[in-house]
């Protein structure tokens, strides 16, 4: 039955009851930082793995005055980012931007912007697998008990294995963190380069996993500590080169293959950061160059 | 000698519907004592072991355990958190099939180190040093510390499982047919090792076996079970040399004929 007095679709795609349900889950997640709150994830007009969790969280917190930015691997112009941005421009008619500082909501996959987030901003992470213990303990019943009883020895077994096999902690993304000294949390597949940005961030950080039906959150100024060993402390990747386009250093780099003869260049993975710098007159050395990404332990030596 | 039992079982019963798993089981375990539970397949000995180690919920009865602070509570009074802590620090469980007690996809060192990390050790070098110590104590070359248990032989896996259990210096070990799947010469080596470790560390052990030879070698006391009930218990030498219950006589006779 269609009621002619109602619009054909609701603001921001989801119906209001669904948004209320998701907002309740978000509030609970904020109240218990790092705890995975189950929610009744809806089918979205996109496949699982493309950000259905992030899209539902964004849809539930989006207002008409918000300015939305969507990034995928740091870039504003990749398929996933463009599609989700276009989706919300269409179903919510909100303003969109690529500039980090102009956005009120940033939905992200795999990166945190280089520009530090500010108070009042919200960053929404797309999460494929919310359970940090999944690959160590496949039973969901067991991992829930482990979270409840704070039994996190297994996470260190994984890190131990890394050092035993590779000589250093070889986990480079989805690096487990401990939140407020209580819950161990999967920060979604961001590079561990971005882990320190979560610690005491003034922005609200929300995590949505659509297929797994979980939402978790980090309220502003939350303790987020990357797990490590006393004698193998947590370190981030370093790059011993500068961005070929904007000459930036100490940012996370993408390697871009430029031909089939081994030509390649390294550029900022955060396209907004790179463009902003170029518009300010910074210029990189340009094409082919050599660069080695170094794990933190190498840089430290 | 310490005159307080470390474990006390009273009138323990486990029912599966109308079927009796074990019933009317009472006995004590003293510190440093090895008790063997013997009986044929289906006599309820594994059910009993699983009930005592809280891997299985009992139907009725009492199981008291002496904590390190000397309290002697019924295990049912402990919270799940306390029980799980007990299981990975104060207790050990050696399974018949090592694959049940090991993480087959992480290295031997991590298998041994897991309990240390579970109780909060955060120094890689120290964890590794203790893991390698323990590997040597169970006669596994320290050079194999980074190998996966899947590449180990049955006997080595069983010894690795023992090391993994002992690294936190537990006081009570449960063993379910620890030499069951091993061939005779390997069995002898594992038994030798167990006997040495038990006396070195002053462990209390409850060992379930259908092999009276194993019971004779390891245990000081023996409990004979049949159809879920204890039919006879006493010092191992006395029970083996002078069995009083007809079923025990049969058991002993059938072993000696081999």
């Amino acid at each position: 039955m269609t009621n002619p007095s109602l619009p054909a679709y609701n603001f921001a795609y989801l119906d209001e009851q669904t948004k209320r349900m998701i907002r309740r889950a978000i509030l609970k997640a904020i109240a218990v930082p790092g705890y995975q709150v189950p929610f009744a994830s809806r089918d979205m007009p996109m496949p699982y793995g493309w950000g259905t969790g992030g899209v539902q969280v964004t849809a539930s917190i989006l207002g008409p005055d918000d300015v939305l930015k969507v990034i995928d691997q740091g870039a504003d112009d990749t398929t996933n980012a463009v599609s989700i941005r276009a989706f919300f421009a269409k179903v919510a008619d909100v303003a969109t931007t690529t500039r980090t500082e102009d956005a009120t909501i940033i939905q992200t996959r795999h990166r945190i912007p280089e520009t530090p987030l500010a108070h009042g901003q919200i960053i929404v992470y797309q999460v494929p697998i919310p359970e940090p213990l999944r690959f160590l303990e496949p039973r969901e019943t067991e991992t829930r008990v482990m979270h409840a009883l704070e039994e996190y020895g297994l996470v260190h077994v994984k890190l131990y294995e890394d050092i035993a096999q590779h000589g250093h902690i070889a986990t480079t993304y989805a690096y487990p963190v401990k939140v407020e000294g209580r819950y161990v949390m999967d920060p979604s597949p961001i590079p561990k380069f971005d882990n320190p940005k979560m610690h005491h961030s003034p922005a609200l950080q929300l995590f949505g996993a659509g297929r797994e039906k979980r939402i978790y959150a980090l309220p502003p100024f939350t303790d987020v500590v990357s797990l490590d060993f006393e004698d193998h402390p947590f370190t981030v990747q370093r790059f011993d080169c500068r961005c070929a386009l904007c000459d930036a250093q100490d940012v996370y780099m993408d390697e871009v293959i430029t031909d089939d003869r081994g030509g390649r260049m390294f550029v900022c993975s955060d396209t907004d950061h790179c463009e902003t710098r170029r518009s300010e007159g910074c210029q990189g050395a340009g094409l082919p160059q050599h660069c080695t990404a170094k794990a933190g332990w190498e840089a430290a030596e | 000698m310490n005159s307080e039992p470390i474990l006390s079982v009273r009138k323990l019963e486990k029912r599966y519907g109308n079927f009796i798993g074990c019933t009317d089981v009472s006995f004590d375990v003293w510190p440093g004592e090895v008790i063997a539970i013997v009986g044929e397949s289906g006599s309820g000995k594994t059910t009993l072991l699983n009930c005592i180690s809280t891997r299985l919920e009992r139907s009725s009865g009492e199981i008291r355990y002496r904590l390190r602070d000397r309290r002697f509570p019924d295990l049912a009074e402990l919270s799940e958190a306390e029980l799980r802590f007990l299981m990975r620090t104060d207790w050990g469980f050696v399974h018949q099939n090592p694959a049940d007690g090991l993480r087959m996809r992480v290295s031997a060192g991590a298998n041994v180190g897991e309990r240390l990390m579970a109780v909060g050790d955060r120094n890689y070098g120290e964890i590794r040093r203790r893991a390698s110590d323990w590997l040597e104590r169970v006669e596994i070359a320290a050079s194999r510390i980074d190998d996966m248990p899947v590449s180990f032989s049955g006997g080595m896996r069983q010894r690795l499982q023992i090391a993994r259990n002992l690294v936190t210096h537990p006081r009570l070990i449960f063993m379910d047919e620890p030499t069951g799947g091993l061939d005779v010469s390997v069995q002898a080596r594992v038994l030798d090792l167990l006997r040495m470790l038990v006396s070195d560390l002053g462990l209390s052990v409850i060992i379930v076996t259908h092999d009276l030879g194993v019971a004779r070698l390891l245990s000081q006391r023996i409990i004979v079970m049949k159809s879920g009930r204890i039919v006879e218990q006493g010092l191992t030498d006395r029970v083996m040399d002078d069995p009083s219950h007809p079923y025990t006589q049969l058991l002993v006779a059938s072993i000696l004929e081999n």
Side-chain angles (χ1 to χ4, degrees), chain B residues 49-73:
Chain B
L49 192 75
N50 286 338
C51 279
I52 299 170
S53 57
T54 68
R55 294 157 50 81
L56 206 60
E57 206 175 325
R58 67 190 113 143
S59 305
S60 66
E62 232 179 62
I63 305 165
R64 292 186 175 276
Y65 177 71
R66 180 84 52 198
L67 300 175
R68 283 184 198 239
D69 61 10
R70 311 198 64 75
R71 280 188 299 139
F72 198 49

Side-chain angles (χ1 to χ4, degrees), chain A residues 136-197:
Chain A
L136 306 156
E137 174 54 68
R139 289 169 295 177
E140 184 78 8
T141 48
E142 182 70 10
T143 55
R144 275 185 219 172
V145 173
M146 290 162 74
H147 280 295
L149 302 179
E150 236 180 307
E151 285 180 9
Y152 291 130
L154 257 190
V155 186
H156 277 87
V157 172
K158 162 80 170 73
L159 299 179
Y160 172 97
E161 255 331 69
D162 264 5
I163 303 173
Q165 308 288 334
H166 305 285
H168 60 100
I169 297 178
T171 304
T172 52
Y173 67 97
Y175 193 102
V177 293
K178 195 159 206 182
V179 178
E180 285 288 321
R182 176 60 180 84
Y183 284 100
V184 166
M185 184 189 96
D186 183 338
S188 86
I190 59 171
K192 66 178 173 182
F193 182 87
D194 286 340
N195 271 20
K197 295 177 189 167

Side-chain angles (χ1 to χ4, degrees), chain A residues 136-137 142 145-146 149-154 156-161 163-165 228-232, chain B residues 80-81 84 88 103 105-107 109-110 114 117-118 121-128 131 145-146 148:
Chain A
L136 306 156
E137 174 54 68
E142 182 70 10
V145 173
M146 290 162 74
L149 302 179
E150 236 180 307
E151 285 180 9
Y152 291 130
L154 257 190
H156 277 87
V157 172
K158 162 80 170 73
L159 299 179
Y160 172 97
E161 255 331 69
I163 303 173
Q165 308 288 334
D228 59 5
F229 285 103
E230 289 162 4
D231 45 350
H232 284 265
Chain B
E80 189 177 4
R84 287 173 67 110
R88 59 175 196 265
R103 288 188 192 276
R105 277 167 208 196
V106 304
S107 66
E114 181 178 342
M117 293 183 250
D121 280 24
R122 293 291 176 263
N123 189 308
Y124 174 82
E126 176 64 16
I127 292 166
R128 199 169 167 79
I145 190 168
D146 293 332
M148 301 290 152

Side-chain angles (χ1 to χ4, degrees), chain B:
Chain B
M1 271 302 277
N2 198 327
S3 58
E4 288 178 325
I6 187 167
L7 183 87
S8 175
V9 179
R10 290 288 173 274
K11 298 265 175 211
L12 184 67
E13 179 172 82
K14 172 68 188 173
R15 282 177 174 275
Y16 301 98
N18 284 328
F19 182 78
I20 291 172
C22 62
T23 186
D24 197 22
V25 173
S26 303
F27 66 96
D28 292 326
V29 183
W30 273 268
E33 183 182 42
V34 180
I35 289 200
I37 303 174
V38 301
E40 62 195 4
S41 301
S43 59
K45 50 192 197 300
T46 297
T47 296
L48 174 61
L49 192 75
N50 286 338
C51 279
I52 299 170
S53 57
T54 68
R55 294 157 50 81
L56 206 60
E57 206 175 325
R58 67 190 113 143
S59 305
S60 66
E62 232 179 62
I63 305 165
R64 292 186 175 276
Y65 177 71
R66 180 84 52 198
L67 300 175
R68 283 184 198 239
D69 61 10
R70 311 198 64 75
R71 280 188 299 139
F72 198 49
D74 193 299
L75 292 177
E77 294 164 16
L78 299 180
S79 69
E80 189 177 4
E82 287 174 303
L83 265 181
R84 287 173 67 110
F85 184 75
L86 210 58
M87 276 191 212
R88 59 175 196 265
T89 55
D90 234 14
W91 291 1
F93 200 106
V94 178
H95 297 260
Q96 173 171 9
N97 179 1
D100 295 341
L102 291 173
R103 288 188 192 276
M104 298 304 277
R105 277 167 208 196
V106 304
S107 66
N111 263 292
V112 179
E114 181 178 342
R115 277 180 163 223
L116 296 173
M117 293 183 250
V119 295
D121 280 24
R122 293 291 176 263
N123 189 308
Y124 174 82
E126 176 64 16
I127 292 166
R128 199 169 167 79
R129 190 188 62 69
R130 288 178 66 183
S132 111
D133 275 1
W134 268 102
L135 289 182
E136 276 177 16
R137 284 186 85 164
V138 298
E139 297 162 24
I140 295 173
S143 60
R144 302 213 57 181
I145 190 168
D146 293 332
D147 293 347
M148 301 290 152
V150 280
S151 71
F152 286 10
S153 68
M156 279 174 79
R157 287 182 194 182
Q158 196 55 284
R159 281 179 276 136
L160 179 61
Q161 195 193 177
I162 292 165
R164 171 182 159 89
N165 272 290
L166 294 184
V167 67
T168 47
H169 295 285
R171 296 188 301 150
L172 178 61
I173 307 281
F174 302 97
M175 297 186 189
D176 189 3
E177 305 273 10
T179 56
L182 307 174
D183 64 51
V184 184
S185 61
V186 178
Q187 221 182 73
R189 221 171 132 197
V190 170
L191 284 175
D192 241 20
L193 178 76
L194 276 178
R195 196 155 66 154
M196 203 177 70
L197 289 172
V198 163
S199 67
D200 280 2
L201 302 171
L203 296 172
S204 302
V205 180
I206 302 178
I207 181 170
V208 158
T209 179
H210 63 268
D211 185 340
L212 285 184
V214 171
R216 168 160 252 170
L217 204 64
L218 286 179
S219 69
Q220 286 104 43
R221 265 196 314 141
I222 205 165
I223 289 173
V224 185
M225 291 192 69
K226 184 178 189 305
S227 312
R229 290 168 193 278
I230 293 181
V231 293
E232 182 166 359
Q233 58 175 315
L235 295 176
T236 303
D237 290 344
R238 204 278 295 153
V239 173
M240 301 287 264
D241 296 337
D242 181 22
S244 61
H245 191 276
Y247 176 71
T248 317
Q249 289 169 0
L250 185 76
L251 219 57
V252 171
S254 64
I255 288 298
L256 294 181
E257 271 172 32
N258 284 345

Side-chain angles (χ1 to χ4, degrees), chain A residues 235-240 250 292-301:
Chain A
T235 51
V236 298
Q237 301 102 325
R238 295 267 173 243
F239 299 84
D240 68 353
D250 293 330
T292 36
K294 286 189 166 181
W297 63 277
E298 286 173 321
E301 276 164 8

